[in-house]
Amino acid sequence: MPGGRLSPPSTSAEVLLMIEEGRLTGDEAITAHPGERWQKVAEIPEFYQKIVNELEGPKPSTKPRPASKKEKTKLTKRSKKKSTGEPEENTGITEIIEPPSLRVDQLKQPKQKHKNLDYYAKATPAKSSVVINVQNTEEIEKEAVIKKVLPFAIFFIIGALLLWNLMDNSVDTSTQDRIHLARPKGKSGSPDAEDVQKKKTALALGNIEKDTFKNWLEAQTILTSLIESNPQNLSYRGLLCYVYIELWEYSYKDSEDIKTVELLAQGTRSLNVTSPEGFYCEAARLYLGGRNAEAKVTLESLLNSTNQFSILPIVYYLRGLLLVSESDYLQGKAFLEKAQEIWPRWTRPSVILGKVHTYKKELNEAASTYQKILEKNKGHYEAILSLGILQYRDFKQLTAGQNLIQAALKMSNRAPRALTAEAYGIMAEMHSEKGDISQAKSFAEKALQLNPSSKELKQLVLRLGGSDKVSSQLNQNEDLIIRADQYARSGDCLSAQAEYKAAFEANPKFGTAAMKAAQCLWQLYQSYEAIEWLKKATKAEPKLVQAYVIQADYLSQRFDFTGANQILNNASKIAPNSHEVMRGYAQVELRKNNFQGATNFGLRAMKAFDADPDTYVILSKAYRNQALTMVPVTKSDMQKKEQFLRDSLRYATKAVELDSTNTEAQINYGQTMASGSGIDVGISYFKDLIGKYPVTTAYRLALADLYSSEDRFSQAKELYEQITIADPKNKRAFLGLGTSLKALGFNDQALKAFLSAAVIDPTDAEATYQAAQIYFETARPTEALNNFLRVRRVNPMYPRSNLAIAKAYAELQNWDQALVAAQEEKKLNPRVAETYITIAEIYSARKQYQDCSAEYANALKIRSQDATIYVKASVCYRMSGSLDVAQDMLDLARSLESGYPDIYKEQGALFKIRGDGAAAVKSYRMYLELSPNSNDRRSVEDMIRQLGG
């Protein structure tokens, strides 16, 4: 039952008067006769309509209506009877239990600094006259000696709970089905009047303060309504993001719930990208998605600002919750206490503090914390259960603990499943000790149903003669997901993916579990399996757009661009206007080096949702790459290149403004600065980031990559080595180290670095390909061939792997296999000129000169400005007897690059075959003049002598 004071009997008219005067809000419990079922005031039809009228319409007068003569007479009679001890007549409504006050007062003015957890805050929501603030209106109660006071407090609470037990006929709802989070719809009607907003806000805050499942549901309903009628109010949105955090335990956690959280976070950021509410909602989204590290950075950025805002208590709370989840109880406790200090009437921080005390075996402190919660709200279900379990398990006050638990389990509310399961387990033990095995088994099976992974509960059920087969797959799945999320948040992806898989196998319609398993598998470098699990996710939940986008991302990273586009095509049919899908297309085009295509899709994604930093990062990269790949010839070209760089910087800046904690956005901004303002500017920017975030490896890696891109390989090598020592599993660092070592001429060390990267991620072909290249370039064709073949087995889509195999076979003079591999490459990548050149060289080695000429002609269709191809084509035409065409090839080569030595060597051969010895000698001498250190100098000099030169 709700907490508060017990009021004397009242008539219906008096109740209506109290509603009108604002003394009753509808949340109070009421009964017509002693001992009958209690109902909320708002559940009685005649009172409900009065409450609605008071909320929806302003009162003509703010003064209370004076009582009628008849009402005054009744009140006077009751007062006299009460003072003389006479029994009162039954007036139709005998008792009212009022809840704690829902007053909403101003916060104290905050002090200036956030870092020492020593300030308060208040703010006015954007575009709204309603201010959501909380303040301690009562002095914090003095601490008492726990060991002396606790037993008396416990007996008082037990007495109250036993009274509720007699009055409450409700059923246990702790094992009800999951819920879906409520999603605010579009704006509905005109905004609420200011006084209506204030009343609704008070109701929402009051429910949040009471802190039970039923209260969160009511707060969600009220806040959803407020957002629908006041969509610009950021404070309502921030509070709803908090309520989602508390309701997540009880939700389905499927694609619908994920989408609900994402939409609220996106919508809040769209209204004001720099608002505290936007940052908080983003942190909530990250936290509920298991991305604790990113959520933590987002909250730190918010807490380090000097702005004042009304949702500060819930920011401190979430930061403390994250620390507690990492077992950092000392710091977590400080943040939770600060949240409690700013908003003393709010219960939730105290609940988590009670858990912290329990984790740390500070049992007296834990019991005292729960006792204080119950003094505020005697109906706090979770506190009653927690205190009862403490009494039973730790203080060995068996009767007191049992009474608390038994009374709580008969209340109509819900608590976290693990806590409720422990309570049922105690009830099972209690009945077992009494010899009531049947009842004990029933409670034990309920406990196991709620916590099916508990070995202790399984043993208890079996000991009582029950079955350890859990009947509810829903609860079993929930248990698996909760544990999987905990593993994922702590960075243990190996354990997390196993739990996610188990949850999906238990419920094959739960696509979200399969998607999360895939994400963990990808982090574990198990890319094949990750993609397979994403297929399962989309099959199980066809509307899970996020799974399609992730799958396309993974496929494009493996160079399967066709497959990635097909997946996104499927997603666009489901969500045609999704900015995530458009952004996915842009990412694929960027990886294909189709920078214009990436720009087009990126702009479409931005139009659909203009507060997504990832979209702006892609746009910035696309414009920057367009600038870097341009070779300006005219003034117009130069202006276009400069505009591309300006656009790249503009979008890079926008991404950082939207989310300064986004690592990818910060790295892209540094790279863009380096491209537009010079490498030293970029280096300085990355060094500043490393100073701010010394434990973030990504910024050191970005600086090393920047050094490498500018051929500063010694500096790059030093940084890469530091990263590999600090993080031996960093594949990218080993790849960068190998590249730097190779450029510096340390081939053996480079090979070792590449092979180390290949061991870290056997499913990524890049490291193996780079190792094979070293073998090939150091004249070890057999080792090169074996590694190139391994590349193709690991990823048949890896660019030019077949071409590399063809060259390795050619080096071993295995022309048949070389031709097969080269033809396969031509099928996969028909627009690569080098493939046709390689095939032509193979035909030349096999003395198939006409085929050789045809392949060079194909290469020239792709690369028409390359003088070397014309010269090589001329050789094949000459050898096939087409001397005129051979001469045409040389003339074209000379027009492109007259100083290319091989032109004159081939020209000498043509003159010789035509019988013009003098012209041949002249051409050969020009060749030696242009290439004095050529390897074939002696053979050319012999040719000149033979021709009489």
Side-chain angles (χ1 to χ4, degrees), residues 348-554:
R348 179 52 31 179
S350 293
V351 174
I352 306 303
L353 283 168
K355 292 181 179 180
V356 169
H357 288 310
T358 305
Y359 296 151
K360 296 176 68 178
K361 299 300 180 182
E362 300 168 350
L363 303 179
N364 284 334
E365 290 85 349
S368 177
T369 301
Y370 292 127
Q371 174 196 343
K372 289 178 180 178
I373 291 171
L374 292 172
E375 289 170 3
K376 291 182 184 178
N377 179 6
K378 294 181 176 64
H380 195 285
Y381 189 69
E382 191 172 346
I384 298 169
L385 283 179
S386 298
L387 186 56
I389 290 169
L390 271 174
Q391 289 295 103
Y392 186 91
R393 293 268 191 233
D394 298 293
F395 293 117
K396 304 304 179 183
Q397 297 181 7
L398 305 184
T399 302
Q402 290 169 3
N403 287 339
L404 283 169
I405 293 168
Q406 191 169 11
L409 291 176
K410 291 187 177 182
M411 294 170 63
S412 177
N413 219 318
R414 299 170 71 180
R417 291 171 56 253
L419 182 68
T420 310
E422 188 173 1
Y424 275 122
I426 289 174
M427 294 296 292
E429 293 174 12
M430 178 185 71
H431 283 281
S432 176
E433 290 171 2
K434 292 178 179 179
D436 188 353
I437 302 302
S438 175
Q439 190 72 2
K441 184 178 74 171
S442 175
F443 277 116
E445 288 175 343
K446 279 187 178 182
L448 184 60
Q449 184 178 350
L450 287 166
N451 189 5
S453 65
S454 172
K455 294 179 180 178
E456 293 80 5
L457 289 174
K458 286 182 179 179
Q459 292 171 359
L460 178 62
V461 169
L462 292 173
R463 179 163 57 84
L464 293 169
S467 170
D468 63 347
K469 303 298 181 184
V470 180
S471 61
S472 172
Q473 282 191 345
L474 181 64
N475 288 333
Q476 186 177 21
N477 294 348
E478 182 70 11
D479 182 69
L480 292 167
I481 287 295
I482 288 172
R483 284 192 287 123
D485 286 344
Q486 289 172 345
Y487 286 132
R489 289 190 177 112
S490 65
D492 184 1
C493 253
L494 184 62
S495 300
Q497 59 86 28
E499 300 291 344
Y500 286 133
K501 286 180 182 176
F504 179 76
E505 287 164 359
N507 179 11
K509 293 183 179 180
F510 194 13
T512 304
M515 180 184 73
K516 289 185 174 183
Q519 289 174 297
C520 276
L521 289 165
W522 187 264
Q523 289 186 45
L524 294 169
Y525 302 121
Q526 298 180 32
S527 58
Y528 301 120
E529 196 175 359
I531 291 169
E532 287 303 311
W533 276 88
L534 284 168
K535 291 178 182 177
K536 294 179 181 181
T538 53
K539 185 177 180 181
E541 287 190 65
K543 293 184 179 180
L544 189 55
V545 174
Q546 188 181 0
Y548 293 95
V549 175
I550 293 171
Q551 186 178 354
D553 178 25
Y554 292 173

Side-chain angles (χ1 to χ4, degrees), residues 295-314:
K296 184 164 60 176
V297 173
T298 302
L299 291 172
E300 285 292 347
S301 175
L302 182 53
L303 288 170
N304 286 332
S305 70
T306 58
N307 296 327
Q308 303 173 8
F309 48 91
S310 62
I311 64 165
L312 182 62
I314 61 176

Side-chain angles (χ1 to χ4, degrees), residues 644-901:
F644 282 151
L645 288 172
R646 284 195 294 271
D647 289 337
S648 177
L649 181 60
R650 176 162 58 92
Y651 287 118
T653 304
K654 183 70 172 177
V656 172
E657 287 176 351
L658 279 169
D659 187 358
S660 61
T661 66
N662 188 308
T663 303
E664 187 64 25
Q666 290 283 11
I667 290 172
N668 176 69
Y669 185 81
Q671 293 169 339
T672 305
M673 292 290 289
S675 299
S677 303
I679 184 175
D680 290 333
V681 175
I683 290 170
S684 177
Y685 187 76
F686 283 127
K687 285 183 175 179
D688 287 343
L689 286 173
I690 291 169
K692 284 183 182 178
Y693 309 100
V695 298
T696 304
T697 306
Y699 296 133
R700 295 180 188 274
L701 193 58
L703 178 57
D705 290 342
L706 185 58
Y707 281 134
S708 181
S709 68
E710 293 294 320
D711 297 340
R712 298 188 185 184
F713 294 112
S714 295
Q715 292 166 290
K717 167 183 165 291
E718 184 178 345
L719 266 176
Y720 286 130
E721 285 176 337
Q722 291 174 7
I723 297 167
T724 57
I725 292 170
D727 183 7
K729 294 292 184 181
N730 196 311
K731 177 185 69 175
R732 281 191 56 206
F734 277 107
L735 285 169
L737 178 60
T739 301
S740 298
L741 288 166
K742 181 181 176 184
L744 293 168
F746 302 116
N747 285 322
D748 289 342
Q749 293 180 44
L751 182 61
K752 183 179 178 181
F754 287 135
L755 292 176
S756 295
V759 169
I760 293 170
D761 184 2
T763 66
D764 184 4
E766 183 177 359
T768 305
Y769 183 87
Q770 296 297 341
Q773 283 288 94
I774 291 180
Y775 284 128
F776 188 81
E777 292 167 10
T778 54
R780 289 181 275 182
T782 301
E783 290 94 330
L785 176 61
N786 290 336
N787 279 277
F788 283 135
L789 289 170
R790 187 174 294 114
V791 168
R792 188 168 65 180
R793 286 195 298 271
V794 169
N795 184 2
M797 308 299 294
Y798 192 84
R800 302 192 180 188
S801 58
N802 285 295
L803 181 59
I805 291 169
K807 289 183 176 182
Y809 274 126
E811 193 69 19
L812 293 167
Q813 297 189 3
N814 186 338
W815 308 115
D816 291 341
Q817 289 296 329
L819 185 60
V820 169
Q823 295 285 13
E824 186 63 29
E825 183 71 30
K826 184 166 72 172
K827 291 178 186 177
L828 292 172
N829 299 295
R831 296 296 301 166
V832 177
E834 192 174 354
T835 303
Y836 296 97
I837 294 170
T838 301
I839 294 173
E841 289 171 348
I842 294 169
Y843 281 135
S844 178
R846 296 172 63 171
K847 303 187 185 306
Q848 295 175 242
Y849 296 116
Q850 287 186 344
D851 292 330
C852 170
S853 303
E855 293 301 328
Y856 277 127
N858 289 330
L860 286 168
K861 292 176 184 177
I862 300 169
R863 200 190 294 172
S864 60
Q865 301 300 307
D866 191 338
T868 61
I869 301 177
Y870 286 102
V871 174
K872 290 179 178 181
S874 176
V875 174
C876 284
Y877 280 116
R878 172 173 60 83
M879 297 300 291
S880 65
S882 301
L883 302 184
D884 291 339
V885 180
Q887 185 61 58
D888 290 341
M889 293 292 105
L890 287 179
D891 291 341
L892 288 168
R894 191 179 290 109
S895 67
L896 290 170
E897 191 178 345
S898 60
Y900 180 49

